[in-house]
Amino acid sequence: MTTKPLKVLFFSHDSKLGDAIVNTAFVAGLKQHDPHCEIHATVAGVTATFWAQDERISKTWTVQKPGWRDTVRLGRAFRREHYDYIVTWQRMRKEKNRLMLWLAKPGAVIDLHAFNQGVITHKIEACGEALAQMNRRGAAELAYDVKLEARCEQIDALLAPAGEVFVVNLFAADAERNIGHAQAVGIVRGLQAMAPAAVVCLVCTDVTEVQAQSVQAACAPSAQVVNCDGNLARLFRLCERADMVISPDTALVHIASAFDTPVIGIYQDNGVKAVQWGPRSKAHGIVLSSNPLTLEGFAVGRVLELAAGLRVGTRAHPTAIEHS
């Protein structure tokens, strides 16, 4: 008698690339336990592009601010799929989402509400808890497992194969997590003094390119502005090629971690963000601001001190380095 393969839907329609990268640990863990399971994902924005390139995902469902009619349609479509589990990651608060789940009628809903009320841990542990609640948590340590192919001729043409590359990201989705101009110039000039032959790449989007160019103008000639707006391959290849990534709490921390690229994350000092969303690379550093809400007051000197230590450590004998 043939057993029906497990069928799982998980939510990834918050349009947050960082969350999606973390959740690759869930997908990898599930496939390790049930190689023939069928995995679906709800997607929106950049997560639609990301998950569409992962062969482990059998089907994606676009969910982007649905109206009531769309909600009913989706819920009924989900019911026809006969999911064994729907993983929402958190308890649904909006009436439309609750209706969608009610219509879907999965075997079980994994919302992690009780887990999220407990001790603050890295978000990768939520992947482990979801697997545990499905009785599919293995003994192996969870890790990011990105399947997006990082190929980009433009990046390879920009950067010499053997040259040292620092990637610096100054911008986040929220303005309070952006790195200011003066601090950005301080970081770039410090890296240039540390490694005069290195290329420093300033990552930006269409919206932030002018600000990145302003920093570049103050730090010529080795600073390069790299616009990765709408181009995941360019962004992923840049993080894979980098010798070090420096970024506030954004997806770049997790992209770098997925490639085990040394990374320094800059976080608000609130006891939560650096714990939940910290780097996962073997060699990494953490710098905290002097403010629980913004990056105000973080020490540029501390960033450069960690960068020097990581640079020496990873060239000699890779090791985990974490400071706050």
Side-chain angles (χ1 to χ4, degrees):
M1 180 178 175
T2 304
T3 304
K4 180 183 175 183
L6 185 75
K7 198 170 190 178
V8 178
L9 170 72
F10 70 92
F11 282 12
S12 187
H13 60 271
D14 58 3
S15 298
K16 294 180 179 179
L17 180 58
D19 292 45
I21 292 169
V22 173
N23 290 341
T24 61
F26 169 78
V27 173
L30 190 54
K31 278 292 186 180
Q32 184 178 32
H33 197 284
D34 289 285
H36 302 295
C37 67
E38 185 175 339
I39 306 176
H40 294 193
T42 63
V43 298
V46 69
T47 64
T49 304
F50 179 77
W51 289 117
Q53 298 182 60
D54 192 323
E55 73 279 1
R56 297 169 300 189
I57 306 302
S58 301
K59 186 172 184 177
T60 58
W61 301 81
T62 300
V63 181
Q64 204 152 10
K65 297 182 179 179
W68 284 104
R69 182 175 295 180
D70 293 328
T71 298
V72 171
R73 178 183 59 80
L74 274 170
R76 288 175 172 171
F78 290 163
R79 182 185 293 193
R80 291 192 291 271
E81 295 289 341
H82 301 289
Y83 291 115
D84 296 290
Y85 296 97
I86 292 182
V87 182
T88 64
W89 306 109
Q90 56 188 349
R91 190 160 294 176
M92 296 291 95
R93 297 180 180 178
K94 294 182 179 179
E95 290 184 13
K96 289 178 184 177
N97 287 332
R98 291 202 297 268
L99 173 61
M100 185 168 60
L101 283 176
W102 180 81
L103 289 170
K105 293 192 181 300
V109 174
I110 308 295
D111 65 21
L112 305 186
H113 178 73
F115 178 79
N116 291 332
Q117 300 303 307
V119 177
I120 297 172
T121 60
H122 196 281
K123 282 295 183 179
I124 200 170
E125 297 303 329
C127 297
E129 177 64 16
L131 292 168
Q133 291 189 25
M134 297 162 59
N135 297 315
R136 281 163 172 84
R137 177 65 191 264
E141 182 180 357
L142 291 179
Y144 301 163
D145 190 17
V146 170
K147 296 300 183 184
L148 188 145
E149 199 165 335
R151 288 185 179 179
C152 183
E153 293 180 0
Q154 291 174 313
I155 296 299
D156 291 340
L158 175 66
L159 306 172
E164 192 171 7
V165 177
F166 297 115
V167 171
V168 179
N169 175 41
L170 310 175
F171 311 106
D174 308 310
E176 60 267 22
R177 287 185 284 136
N178 286 349
I179 296 174
H181 177 85
Q183 290 173 306
V185 170
I187 290 172
V188 175
R189 286 181 176 173
L191 293 173
Q192 290 173 323
M194 183 188 309
V199 175
V200 181
C201 294
L202 301 171
V203 180
C204 69
T205 63
D206 292 344
V207 173
T208 58
E209 185 167 8
V210 171
Q211 294 166 270
Q213 288 172 341
S214 177
V215 175
Q216 178 194 32
C219 301
S222 67
Q224 299 279 346
V225 172
V226 183
N227 189 329
C228 294
D229 201 334
N231 194 321
L232 286 186
R234 184 180 301 171
L235 180 61
F236 276 64
R237 176 57 181 150
L238 189 61
C239 290
E240 181 187 43
R241 172 64 183 82
D243 293 277
M244 188 183 305
V245 172
I246 299 173
S247 175
D249 176 20
T250 69
L252 267 79
V253 170
H254 305 295
I255 298 171
S257 295
F259 293 118
D260 202 24
T261 299
V263 57
I264 297 173
I266 305 172
Y267 298 82
Q268 306 101 303
D269 187 10
N270 58 18
V272 176
K273 292 295 185 180
V275 177
Q276 290 185 326
W277 301 103
R280 302 289 294 178
S281 296
K282 292 185 182 71
H284 66 264
I286 291 175
V287 175
L288 301 179
S289 71
S290 59
N291 190 298
L293 301 177
T294 73
L295 292 191
E296 181 182 348
F298 82 85
V300 170
R302 189 59 164 161
V303 173
L304 296 174
E305 179 185 352
L306 286 175
L310 286 173
R311 183 170 178 258
V312 172
T314 53
R315 290 188 161 209
H317 39 78
T319 183
I321 304 173
E322 183 169 355
H323 298 270
S324 60

